Amino acid sequence: GQLVESGGGLVQVGGSLKLSCAASGDNFRIYNYPMRWYRQAPGKQRELVATITIGSVPTYADFVQGRFTISRDNAKNMLYLQMNNLKPEDTAVYYCNAGFPINKWGQGTQVTVSS
């Protein structure tokens, strides 16, 4: 199975983007896993942005709390990240991750916020 992110792009400060992560492959169903969004800015370590549990309970990093919303559609095998009020420091490559025990990563999608 694989994860493929989409929806990144260039947006102005204060704008919005919605990232999607599509899971595919034989027997790879996201409802079996906690799902996460991470990001990595140039020269920085990858950091956790948001988590959604198997029971669809979300948690967020402090730096996106109140601006980003993580959601999942198990029927469509999709993960989402709605990003509002974007800031220049949100510029990064965003990755989706299927957690324990599979620990699978997508290839990432670039988000660039211009000031």
Side-chain angles (χ1 to χ4, degrees):
Q2 63 176 352
L3 295 169
V4 178
E5 301 94 336
S6 62
L10 175 64
V11 63
Q12 292 187 331
V13 169
S16 298
L17 283 174
K18 185 174 184 178
L19 305 183
S20 299
C21 174
S24 64
D26 291 343
N27 299 317
F28 180 34
R29 305 297 300 179
I30 67 166
Y31 61 66
N32 289 311
Y33 311 103
M35 298 296 295
R36 297 179 174 89
W37 286 99
Y38 288 79
R39 71 186 186 185
Q40 187 166 19
K44 295 188 176 181
Q45 290 188 334
R46 191 170 297 190
E47 60 185 0
L48 177 62
V49 174
T51 299
I52 187 164
T53 67
I54 291 173
S56 293
V57 176
T59 57
Y60 301 95
D62 287 346
F63 52 79
V64 302
Q65 184 74 43
R67 299 188 298 123
F68 290 11
T69 302
I70 188 172
S71 61
R72 63 195 300 162
D73 187 332
N74 291 335
K76 294 182 178 179
N77 224 15
M78 295 287 294
L79 177 72
Y80 303 102
L81 186 69
Q82 176 67 46
M83 306 186 296
N84 298 328
N85 191 22
L86 284 161
K87 305 176 180 181
E89 52 265 41
D90 295 319
T91 295
V93 178
Y94 285 72
Y95 300 89
C96 66
N97 169 266
F100 182 85
I102 198 169
N103 194 26
K104 187 174 291 292
W105 293 85
Q107 84 291 345
T109 186
Q110 175 71 48
V111 172
T112 303
V113 184
S114 65
S115 56

